Structures are given as structure tokens and as C-alpha cells.
């Protein structure tokens, strides 16, 4: 349905302010019309042929749906237009600029008059020489006969539409200590994993080939220290293991469910003999399957544990030693390591040998505010490596579908602070055992999630590049709407602001109707927010050249330039729409 914001010119009383003690004269401030009215008529689905592109590369676009006569295609970096062209068909190409590490948004639009445009479709584009600069991580978790070539094409096609640029192959392996199904030159056609599920080697190969066609990277999953009960007969020594006592009487292990192939016995990740053994097994994997790297897992803090000789182990230092060995053996392969509840994150990051940081979050990190705390802490360790959160939504839900408001609010917060959310794969993720697919995505969530990943990709420089958090005054002019600076508070609009690339970026996050400050939405009960229209704001900013907004919830994320007025050290403008998340950019 076509919608144009209707804005009334009325006097405003600014009711809320940030945490500082400054004052703002709010008298005689009128509501301002946007400089350009955007009309949303998103009836054209746009797609690209790759998940990301090298600088100077060529994007092939396809559009499904009726493109109106006279429509144009426009390419933007932020709000700036870097190219336009007439549309004469449903397939076309664009040679991206040579600048590395830039996000763009392409939109199909018509110019209705001097101040009104209609947007029919949008898509994000990531131009990056290295996928790990802006990781958008996905997964696959089953590899049996149900994964036909057609199914794989459909699954990876959707992930490509969401610009997922790296895939974790969860539980693809034969044994933790012998991951390859077979040996070099003699691969098994099929085998069983730890849960005795059937794994087809041909399916793994098809997944990898399909991902590579989209430019995605394929990462094989395995623990850094797992060995099954038969490991000794495969050459794993008991002297390499972790023990719960000083006399090596009881191996530390993970007890698996009845009917599974084995328990998982844990090994000292710093043991040089074990490192060499597993590096040899990984060499077999790389020689046989076209994986791009190793996703290293752990299981968190094990308490006080010992090596075979009774010495207390420092597992986090062991993680660092393990990473360095894997990198030295395969320097051209990517490495990522999970930090469960951020256990070992400092040691992992300080190796400088992982491509980005990956944190699996649990109840101890369940608050929205924890997301930024962890990200900032990890960036301090790593000189701002990218951050991915494995964060399982609707964990206790008894419903059949994910709760869309909970997913979108959590993604809004994660993306706004610059962190990726591992959630998309051969299904949407709800559990640490990735094959658990008890919840499905509604059609509405699928549509919305595409807009969110387009937005995260198109505006990656504003969302993910290094900047400094800003706590300048922000005042609301809407009766009943309180704006507070980070951290989130219930019954408010929370602003996460930072200075980045010479711009002030204010991410407005709608917690007015939220029922919890936990990102987990454990039982799937987060309510849908009411859209706030015509939110007038006063923000501390001087010498302003331009103010514009964009939202994944409106017009497919297309940017909209606003009128503004300077009042002393403050700039005043009106945000047309805020549902979950709207980004305001103030250029000086």
C-alpha cells in the first residue's frame, strides 16, 4: 500500500533528554517535512549473483515483478548517489567502484515530482576484498538424501539473498578426532556423525560448490579437543587427554545422549602431539574437500582440570597455542574460534590468527546491554576484528514458528551496534544443537529478514566501521515518547549513537512496548511495537550540512533526506517513521 507521511506543523515541547546536564531551548520549534517524500511500493524482488564482490567487480542483478514504465535503478553509498540508469529489462549489470570495503544500496524508483519518489525494490551490495572484514555468517547442519541438488540451491539462494558470505558446516564430520569420512583418495560415500545421522559426502561437496558459486566461504566445524571412545585405536594417546583429577583416573568428557555414537572425551588443546595429530587430519580434509577454513569450537569453562601428569591446565592459553599451530600448518586457510560465554576471548583474539571474533551467548550474557559490552571488550583485544554472535532465539518456545518481533528487535540491536547474528542456514537457528529445526520462519519474517540483511550490508561502513560512542543530548518532541541514550530501557526509544567516518550516526531502537530487556525472547512473547510517526528530535550537532534517515522497516532501507533547522548547538528535524529501528545520519 502506498503511504506518504503526513506531518503537521505544530509547536513542540521537548519532553526528554540524554544523561548530560545541558539545556535545550525547545520553544517555537515546528515539525519539519522531509526534504524528499518516499512512497513504499515494494513489489519488485531484487537479487544479486554473489554474496559480496571484489573492488571493480561486476554485479549481475535480477528483478522479479513488474517494473513500472520510466523506472530507474540508482546506486548509493550511504545517501550519496554514485550512479543511475534507466531500466530496460529484468536483468542488468553494474561495475562496482574500485574502493575496497564499501557497502552500497541499489533501488528501483520513479521520480513522481520534485519532492516525491516511489521505491519498488532494494538490495544491498558489499564490496570487500576479504569476506571476514564484514562477516555475515550462516550454517548448514544436515547432509542426508533429503538434501538434493535442488534443495541445496534453494537454501543457498536464500542465504545469498541475505548476503551471507561464510558458512559453518556443523557436525559434518565422521569422528571429532578423525573428521574426514575415509582417507585421502578413498572417501566414504556415506558415514554417520556423532548422533548416528547419515552424512553423504556428495552432499557436502554439492554444498561447497554451490556456496563457492555465490562467492561464499565454506568453513568446516570441529572441536579443538574432541576424541571419541575409539580414539586410541586411531592413534590418539591417553597421555594427551584432559583429566578431572591429578592421577589421570577420570578423563574429562561430554556425555552424549543414549543412542549416539560415543561420548566426547576432551584433550589438552596445548598438547603439541595432539596439535600435530589433528593438523594432519585437517590436512586430509583440505586435500579431499574444498573447504576454505576451520571453525574451531570449545565448550566453555571446564573448571579445574589437569593433564596426564597432574599439572593444572590453563585452557584459554591452550586455545591460543592451538590456533597458532593450525595457522602455521595452513596459513592460507581461514580460522574462527568460538568463545563460549566469551571464555577465552582475549587469548583467542590476541593470537591475531582468527579472521573475526565469534561469541556464543548464554544466560549470563542475556541483556541487550551485554551485546555492546562484549563487542567493545573484544574489539579492545583484537584491534576491531568483526564480531559474530551465536545467540539462540525463542529457546524455550513451544510454538511452531519464531516470534517475529523478538527476532527483529534483537537483530536491530545487534546490527545497530555493528555485530552479526549467526541465525540463518538450512533453517533458522533456535538451539546450540544446530540440526534442531523445531521452529520455522513465517513468510512475514522471511520478507523482513531480507530487508534487515540488505540494510546491514548496504550501511556496513556506518554500522561496523570503527567509531567512538557518543552521548550528546537527544531530546524528543513527541508527547509520551522518551528518548534515552544507551543502554536500553523499557518504555523508551533508546539511542545508540557514535561518530564514524566523520558522521554522527544515531540508531533509534524502539523499546516502548518491549516486555523484556533480554535479547533471548525465551518464550517467544516479545510484542510487536507500534510505529511512531513524525518523531521530532533535537540533537546536539553544529555546522550541519545534511540529515538523512533510513530504516529496514520502511521503503526497503532506502535513505530519505530530511529538512532540518540549526538552533544554537542543536539541530532539529523530524524522523518520519520508527518501528523497530531507524538510523539517523548527521553529516557536517
Amino acid at each position: 500500500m502506498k503511504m506518504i507521511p503526513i506531518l503537521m506543523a505544530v509547536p513542540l515541547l521537548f519532553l526528554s533528554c540524554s544523561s548530560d546536564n545541558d539545556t535545550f531551548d525547545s520553544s517555537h520549534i515546528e515539525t519539519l517535512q522531509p526534504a524528499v517524500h518516499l512512497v513504499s511500493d515494494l513489489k519488485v524482488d531484487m537479487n544479486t549473483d554473489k554474496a559480496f564482490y571484489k573492488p571493480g567487480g561486476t554485479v549481475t542483478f535480477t528483478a522479479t515483478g513488474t517494473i513500472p514504465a520510466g523506472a530507474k535503478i540508482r546506486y548509493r553509498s550511504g545517501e550519496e548517489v554514485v550512479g543511475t540508469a534507466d531500466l530496460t529489462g529484468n536483468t542488468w549489470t553494474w561495475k562496482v567502484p574500485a574502493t575496497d570495503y564499501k557497502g552500497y544500496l541499489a533501488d528501483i524508483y520513479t521520480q513522481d515530482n520534485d519532492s516525491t519518489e516511489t521505491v519498488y525494490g532494494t538490495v544491498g551490495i558489499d564490496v570487500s576484498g576479504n569476506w571476514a572484514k564484514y562477516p555475515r555468517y550462516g550454517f548448514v547442519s544436515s547432509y542426508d538424501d533429503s538434501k538434493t541438488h535442488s534443495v541445496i540451491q534453494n537454501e543457498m539462494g536464500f542465504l545469498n539473498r541475505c548476503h551471507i558470505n561464510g558458512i559453518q558446516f556443523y557436525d559434518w564430520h565422521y569422528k571429532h578426532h578423525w573428521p574426514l569420512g575415509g582417507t585421502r583418495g578413498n572417501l566414504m560415500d556415506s558415514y554417520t556423525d556423532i548422533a548416528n545421522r547419515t552424512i553423504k559426502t556428495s552432499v557436502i561437496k554439492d554444498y561447497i560448490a554451490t556456496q563457492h558459486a555465490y562467492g561464499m566461504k565454506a568453513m568446516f566445524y570441529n572441536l579443538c579437543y574432541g576424541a571419541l571412545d575409539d580414539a586410541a585405536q586411531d592413534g590418539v594417546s591417553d597421555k594427551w587427554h584432559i583429566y578431572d583429577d591429578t592421577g589421570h583416573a577420570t578423563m574429562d568428557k561430554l556425555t552424549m545422549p543414549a543412542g549416539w555414537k560415543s561420548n566426547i572425551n576432551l584433550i589438552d588443546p596445548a598438547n603439541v602431539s595432539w596439535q600435530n595429530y589433528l593438523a594432519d587430519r585437517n590436512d586430509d580434509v583440505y586435500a579431499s574437500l574444498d573447504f576454505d577454513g576451520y571453525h574451531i569450537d570449545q565448550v566453555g569453562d571446564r573448571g579445574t582440570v589437569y593433564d596426564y601428569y597432574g599439572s593444572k591446565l590453563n585452557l584459554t592459553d591452550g586455545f591460543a597455542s592451538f590456533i597458532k599451530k593450525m595457522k602455521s600448518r595452513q596459513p592460507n586457510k581461514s580460522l574462527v574460534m568460538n568463545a563460549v560465554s566469551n571464555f577465552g576471548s582475549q587469548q583467542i583474539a590476541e593470537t591475531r590468527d582468527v579472521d573475526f571474533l565469534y561469541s556464543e551467548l548464554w544466560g549470563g550474557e542475556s541483556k541487550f546491554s551485554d551485546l555492546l559490552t562484549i563487542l567493545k571488550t573484544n574489539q579492545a583485544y583484537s584491534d576491531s576484528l568483526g564480531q559474530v554472535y551465536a545467540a539462540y532465539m525463542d529457546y524455550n518456545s513451544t510454538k511452531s514458528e519464531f516470534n517475529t518481533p523478538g527476532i527483529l528487535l534483537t537483530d536491530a540491536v545487534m546490527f545497530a551496534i555493528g555485530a552479526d547474528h549467526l541465525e540463518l542456514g538450512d533453517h533458522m537457528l533456535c538451539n546450540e544443537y544446530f540440526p534442531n529445526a523445531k521452529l520455522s520462519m513465517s513468510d512475514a519474517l522471511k520478507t523482513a529478514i531480507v530487508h534487515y540483511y540488505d540494510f546491514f550490508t548496504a550501511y556496513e561502513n556506518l554500522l561496523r566501521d570503527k567509531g567512538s560512542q557518543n552521548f550528546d543530548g537527544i531530546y524528543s518532541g513527541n508527547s509520551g515518547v522518551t528518548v534515552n541514550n544507551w543502554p536500553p530501557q523499557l518504555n523508551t526509544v533508546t539511542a545508540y549513537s557514535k561518530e564514524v567516518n566523520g558522521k554522527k550516526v544515531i540508531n533509534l531502537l524502539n523499546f516502548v512496548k518491549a516486555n523484556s530487556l533480554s535479547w533471548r525472547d525465551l518464550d517467544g512473547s516479545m510484542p510487536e511495537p507500534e510505529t511512531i510517526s513524525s518523531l521530532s528530535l533535537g540533537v546536539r550537532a553544529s555546522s550541519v550540512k545534511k540529515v538523512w534517515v533510513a530504516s529496514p522497516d520502511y521503503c526497503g532501507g532506502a535513505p530519505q533526506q530530511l529538512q532540518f533547522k540549526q538552533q544554537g548547538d542543536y539541530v532539529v528535524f523530524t524522523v518520519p517513521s520508527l518501528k523497530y529501528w531507524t538510523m539517523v545520519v548527521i553529516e557536517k
Side-chain angles (χ1 to χ4, degrees):
M1 181 174 71
K2 293 187 178 182
M3 297 179 63
I4 300 177
I6 305 298
L7 305 177
M8 302 297 293
V10 295
L12 296 177
L13 174 63
F14 283 82
L15 299 174
S16 63
C17 64
S18 66
S19 58
D20 57 17
N21 294 319
D22 61 353
T23 58
F24 174 61
D25 181 6
S26 62
S27 61
H28 309 299
I29 302 298
E30 74 272 22
T31 300
L32 299 174
Q33 296 278 353
V36 176
H37 287 291
L38 288 187
V39 179
S40 181
D41 191 13
L42 299 176
K43 61 186 181 184
V44 178
D45 294 325
M46 298 176 65
N47 211 338
T48 60
D49 60 326
K50 302 283 187 183
F52 70 105
Y53 297 86
K54 303 294 185 183
T58 299
V59 184
T60 298
F61 295 92
T62 57
T64 304
T66 302
I67 299 175
K72 296 178 179 291
I73 182 70
R74 170 172 50 194
Y75 310 104
R76 295 184 189 257
S77 170
E79 196 270 340
E80 180 187 0
V81 177
V82 298
T84 60
D86 295 329
L87 274 183
T88 57
N90 288 69
T91 301
W92 68 96
T93 60
W94 178 51
K95 184 178 175 63
V96 303
T99 305
D100 206 353
Y101 303 119
K102 292 281 285 184
Y104 300 90
L105 186 79
D107 69 301
I108 296 172
Y109 74 104
T110 55
Q111 186 79 39
D112 303 334
N113 53 52
D114 289 342
S115 62
T116 303
E117 297 173 353
T118 300
V119 176
Y120 300 96
T122 61
V123 68
I125 302 123
D126 174 19
V127 177
S128 293
N130 180 358
W131 73 287
K133 170 73 170 178
Y134 302 116
R136 296 176 297 276
Y137 210 24
F139 72 95
V140 291
S141 61
S142 62
Y143 318 89
D144 58 20
D145 285 329
S146 70
K147 295 303 182 76
T148 63
H149 181 67
S150 175
V151 168
I152 290 171
Q153 291 287 315
N154 287 336
E155 291 174 356
M156 296 303 101
F158 180 70
L159 295 193
N160 179 69
R161 181 60 191 84
C162 296
H163 316 289
I164 302 300
N165 55 12
I167 306 291
Q168 176 188 157
F169 280 64
Y170 182 90
D171 275 13
W172 68 280
H173 43 3
Y174 176 45
K175 304 175 184 179
H176 287 71
H177 64 273
W178 194 286
L180 188 66
T183 58
R184 294 195 198 193
N186 189 25
L187 297 182
M188 300 177 185
D189 292 333
S190 97
Y191 52 91
T192 57
D193 74 347
I194 183 72
N196 280 318
R197 301 182 309 149
T198 298
I199 310 294
K200 303 296 289 285
T201 298
S202 61
V203 171
I204 294 171
K205 289 182 174 181
D206 197 356
Y207 265 126
I208 295 172
T210 302
Q211 291 158 13
H212 283 171
Y214 284 122
M216 302 170 182
K217 302 301 181 181
M219 302 284 289
F220 75 80
Y221 165 94
N222 196 7
L223 284 166
C224 66
Y225 51 13
L228 302 195
D229 291 338
D230 64 353
Q233 70 187 41
D234 291 328
V236 176
S237 170
D238 288 356
K239 295 181 179 180
W240 304 348
H241 280 256
I242 297 172
Y243 290 87
D244 294 331
D245 60 276
T246 59
H248 57 257
T250 307
M251 286 182 182
D252 192 25
K253 67 181 179 181
L254 304 177
T255 301
M256 296 293 105
W260 285 34
K261 184 185 289 186
S262 168
N263 293 320
I264 302 175
N265 304 293
L266 301 185
I267 296 178
D268 176 9
N271 184 284
V272 173
S273 296
W274 163 250
Q275 290 177 356
N276 288 328
Y277 174 91
L278 193 61
D280 288 344
R281 303 289 75 74
N282 289 351
D283 287 349
D284 294 340
V285 171
Y286 288 128
S288 306
L289 299 168
D290 197 15
F291 281 115
D292 300 293
Y294 175 12
H295 179 100
I296 307 166
D297 198 14
Q298 49 137 316
V299 294
D301 192 347
R302 303 301 293 168
T304 302
V305 290
Y306 306 89
D307 67 10
Y308 181 86
Y309 303 100
S311 296
K312 188 182 296 185
L313 292 176
N314 184 322
L315 291 181
T316 57
D317 285 349
F319 296 157
S321 172
F322 182 89
I323 290 167
K324 287 187 172 297
K325 171 61 75 170
M326 296 304 112
K327 195 64 176 180
S328 69
R329 286 289 293 267
Q330 291 284 352
N332 295 322
K333 296 295 185 179
S334 291
L335 291 177
V336 175
M337 185 167 186
N338 183 14
V340 179
S341 293
N342 242 34
F343 181 65
S345 60
Q346 179 173 359
Q347 291 80 4
I348 292 167
E350 289 179 349
T351 65
R352 301 295 191 268
D353 286 328
V354 291
D355 286 40
F356 53 85
L357 302 179
Y358 179 104
S359 302
E360 184 179 62
L361 305 183
W362 289 100
E365 309 85 41
S366 66
K367 299 189 297 294
F368 282 105
S369 58
D370 293 329
L371 299 174
L372 182 61
T373 299
I374 293 170
L375 180 139
K376 283 188 166 185
T377 299
N378 287 350
Q379 286 183 336
Y381 297 149
S382 67
D383 194 26
S384 299
L385 285 178
Q387 177 70 59
V388 175
Y389 288 132
Y392 313 119
M393 300 293 299
D394 294 14
Y395 195 80
N396 296 335
S397 175
T398 58
K399 303 170 186 176
S400 61
E401 291 185 341
F402 284 95
N403 179 40
T404 294
I407 299 293
L408 296 184
L409 184 59
T410 291
D411 280 353
V413 174
M414 287 188 181
F415 292 179
I417 66 172
D420 179 47
H421 187 189
L422 177 78
E423 60 182 341
L424 298 180
D426 46 10
H427 56 273
M428 185 173 244
L429 196 56
C430 65
N431 189 273
E432 73 275 18
Y433 182 58
F434 286 17
N436 184 333
K438 68 175 184 176
L439 301 179
S440 61
M441 299 175 71
S442 67
D443 290 342
L445 178 54
K446 287 179 182 178
T447 298
I449 214 78
V450 167
H451 292 316
Y452 270 65
Y453 279 87
D454 275 338
F455 197 87
F456 192 43
T457 301
Y459 300 110
E460 59 193 11
N461 302 106
L462 298 175
L463 299 172
R464 308 186 78 175
D465 284 0
K466 188 174 182 179
S468 57
Q469 190 174 357
N470 185 292
F471 292 96
D472 283 347
I474 302 175
Y475 292 77
S476 165
N478 290 50
S479 176
V481 178
T482 300
V483 177
N484 73 286
N485 271 314
W486 187 274
Q489 297 176 17
L490 296 179
N491 307 310
T492 72
V493 171
T494 291
Y496 170 68
S497 306
K498 69 176 183 177
E499 302 278 346
V500 59
N501 299 332
K503 300 175 176 67
K504 183 192 289 284
V505 180
I506 304 169
N507 291 281
L508 301 172
L509 300 157
N510 189 353
F511 282 87
V512 173
K513 296 295 184 181
N515 63 7
S516 171
L517 289 177
S518 169
W519 55 262
R520 302 185 73 187
D521 193 20
L522 280 171
D523 57 359
S525 65
M526 184 67 72
E528 183 175 357
E530 295 177 3
T531 299
I532 302 171
S533 299
S534 303
L535 175 60
S536 294
L537 298 176
V539 177
R540 183 194 289 276
S542 57
S543 303
V544 174
K545 178 178 70 175
K546 183 189 296 184
V547 179
W548 57 275
V549 297
S551 170
D553 306 313
Y554 188 70
C555 280
Q560 184 174 17
Q561 193 172 152
L562 303 181
Q563 292 192 71
F564 64 91
K565 288 191 175 182
Q566 194 79 52
Q567 184 173 319
D569 291 335
Y570 282 78
V571 64
V572 176
F573 53 88
T574 301
V575 175
S577 177
L578 167 62
K579 188 168 185 181
Y580 294 94
W581 172 27
T582 295
M583 179 180 69
V584 179
V585 180
I586 300 174
E587 300 187 19
K588 300 182 179 182

